[in-house]
Amino acid sequence: MTEAYIFDAVRTPRGKGRKDGSLHEITPIQLATQQLEAIRDRTGIDTSFVDDVALGCVAPVGEQGSDIARVAAINAGYAETTAGFQVNRFCASGLEAVNIAAAKVMTGEADMAIGGGVESMSRVPMGSDGGAWPMDPSVAFHSYFVPQGISADLIATIYGHSRDDVDAYAVESQRRAKASWDANRFSKSIVPVKDVIGMNVLDHDEFMRPETSMQSLGALKPSFVDMGNFGFDNVAIQKYPEIEKINHVHHAGNSSGIVDGAAAVLVGSKEMGEKFGLTPRARIRSMASVGSEPTIMLTGPSFAAEKALKRAGMSKSDIDVWELNEAFASVVLRFMEALDIDHSDINVNGGAIAMGHPLGATGAMILGTVLDELERSGKSTALATLCIGAGMGTATIIERV
């Protein structure tokens, strides 16, 4: 099979996903368009050679509907021969989109493709797309549906993560994110977002709260107690009768932030890179997606990582840097325990607890972040992964060229 290489990766800064957030005035199509424009302008590619664009989007309705990938490619001035499609694998949509782009190159269906994602959570709120899983009682009953916050607290309860444990992780995420911004570690990939007259409206991740401390987090009440009392705790306990009650430890300060953003990753064959004088930045070694138990929901990353490692003929010790989306603090704590990973080797630049989680875009964002980190640190291999709603995990292994 043809090798798939990454030639460039870009992302927007993350804007607060509220009406007073800096990116609220920017439509999702503009967020996606500006990333595709950046890929083209930074690399100098002839877009008639880009066979396809895949963009993750978790709420593909309203302004984010109507195949936003194809429309963004048209809006960015790409050749009309460039196709496009939208991908929804919940929180891993952006990484899945990159994986699909890479698979197209590997199989010869495409010579060059773009994977990425977009989510304007301030304009198209989470859950706008509905769906049978949470909304149809017969489906929810059959699958022991609980909201993700209950799942995160269920993980903490089963694996013994205390409130102090999850809060300490969140404080460290904030510290690492601030240190990374102070050291300009994100400058290679960040594309400032512009308004309709070409003025910059955001050039940094504005969700960060570097002043966060154990004391400030300790003042926050757990976010999912009321949901649990509404009946979801009982549903989770029916599925996991070995626990007596759920210890609610998560809140806004140790969970991923609601933000707006977009990202794009250019993938192609070695020959296509040579055609445009592009030096490959990394080779995609393997990709994997798995299903996992849907009530606890968020434990899939370790299984996806193990599957990707097996497919690549690699072991855990072959990975230099790990990147796991910080959906909730307990998700990362459990992942580190399951694979025996030291905290110094994972999410070294902070994560979504500090910078936010624009659902459809995050997977592509963290892949770009870990690629930048490999180049900065001079290390060789990285694995990026995300937990996913309804119990799944997606992982990608890259090797620096």
Side-chain angles (χ1 to χ4, degrees):
M1 294 177 69
T2 302
E3 297 277 15
Y5 294 91
I6 297 174
F7 293 105
D8 201 10
V10 297
R11 74 169 177 93
T12 67
R14 298 168 173 98
K16 293 178 182 177
R18 306 192 303 247
K19 290 184 178 180
D20 61 351
S22 295
L23 297 183
H24 177 66
E25 67 180 279
I26 310 299
T27 62
I29 190 66
Q30 281 300 323
L31 292 176
T33 295
Q34 291 183 31
Q35 298 313 292
L36 296 183
E37 291 172 338
I39 286 285
R40 177 197 62 208
D41 297 344
R42 284 162 52 119
T43 61
I45 57 172
D46 178 345
T47 59
S48 66
F49 289 90
V50 178
D51 295 293
D52 217 342
V53 175
L55 292 183
C57 184
V58 176
V61 297
E63 293 180 328
Q64 292 180 166
S66 190
D67 191 353
I68 194 170
R70 169 60 173 168
V71 179
I74 294 170
N75 202 45
Y78 275 48
E80 64 181 24
T81 52
T82 300
F85 63 102
Q86 173 266 330
V87 179
N88 185 2
R89 198 187 286 279
F90 296 141
C91 296
S93 298
L95 187 60
E96 189 65 53
V98 177
N99 288 352
I100 293 172
K104 284 174 172 285
V105 172
M106 291 174 177
T107 60
E109 182 184 348
D111 296 312
M112 183 171 281
I114 293 172
V118 60
E119 205 81 33
S120 179
M121 301 182 75
S122 69
R123 298 177 69 96
V124 185
M126 182 168 52
S128 295
D129 55 331
W133 175 45
M135 303 301 293
D136 184 332
S138 65
V139 175
F141 179 83
H142 174 73
S143 62
Y144 290 87
F145 166 80
V146 298
Q148 282 197 358
I150 302 296
S151 298
D153 286 339
L154 178 60
I155 290 173
T157 301
I158 290 176
Y159 295 105
H161 305 145
S162 69
R163 173 68 182 262
D164 282 350
D165 292 337
V166 291
D167 282 357
Y169 182 88
V171 170
E172 179 63 9
S173 178
Q174 296 283 356
R175 188 197 69 78
R176 292 183 182 190
K178 182 181 187 303
S180 297
W181 269 103
D182 289 347
N184 293 317
R185 291 186 183 180
F186 301 120
S187 59
K188 189 170 186 176
S189 298
I190 289 285
V191 177
V193 177
K194 300 181 183 298
D195 62 15
V196 293
I197 62 173
M199 299 293 291
N200 283 359
V201 295
L202 188 65
D203 62 3
H204 64 282
D205 291 323
E206 71 173 344
F207 185 80
M208 296 193 310
R209 295 153 294 184
E211 72 283 356
T212 297
S213 66
M214 290 293 288
Q215 291 72 28
S216 65
L217 293 186
L220 299 177
K221 293 182 179 180
S223 295
F224 307 107
V225 173
D226 289 344
M227 283 185 184
N229 290 337
F230 188 69
F232 287 117
D233 276 5
N234 289 335
V235 173
I237 291 170
Q238 283 182 335
K239 186 69 176 181
Y240 291 88
E242 64 270 26
I243 64 172
E244 182 178 349
K245 66 176 182 178
I246 292 179
N247 183 24
H248 291 285
V249 298
H250 288 93
H251 50 74
N254 56 36
S255 307
S256 56
I258 293 174
V259 294
D260 303 333
V265 178
L266 178 64
V267 180
S269 66
K270 183 177 181 181
E271 292 74 20
M272 191 56 64
E274 291 172 347
K275 181 179 183 67
F276 294 105
L278 301 176
T279 301
R281 296 178 61 189
R283 177 168 66 102
I284 295 179
R285 286 288 304 268
S286 73
M287 310 166 291
S289 289
V290 301
S292 60
E293 199 283 300
T295 301
I296 203 166
M297 196 182 310
L298 309 174
T299 56
S302 65
F303 307 124
E306 290 171 338
K307 189 173 183 179
L309 287 168
K310 183 177 180 180
R311 285 183 170 172
M314 302 171 72
S315 65
K316 185 198 71 170
S317 61
D318 294 319
I319 302 299
D320 298 315
V321 185
W322 302 77
E323 192 77 19
L324 168 60
N325 182 42
E326 294 176 348
F328 300 90
S330 67
V331 171
V332 189
L333 294 178
R334 175 55 196 157
F335 183 83
M336 290 191 291
E337 291 171 352
L339 295 183
D340 190 22
I341 297 168
D342 192 90
H343 195 181
S344 63
D345 295 326
I346 187 169
N347 297 355
V348 298
N349 294 302
I353 289 174
M355 294 177 284
H357 175 22
L359 303 178
T362 304
M365 285 186 171
I366 68 171
L367 188 66
T369 294
V370 82
L371 173 56
D372 286 345
E373 177 60 24
L374 286 181
E375 294 173 338
R376 184 195 70 82
S377 63
K379 294 179 179 178
S380 179
T381 58
L383 187 149
T385 184
L386 301 92
C387 61
I388 307 172
M392 291 182 284
T394 293
T396 304
I397 298 173
I398 62 173
E399 180 179 40
R400 190 163 64 94
V401 177

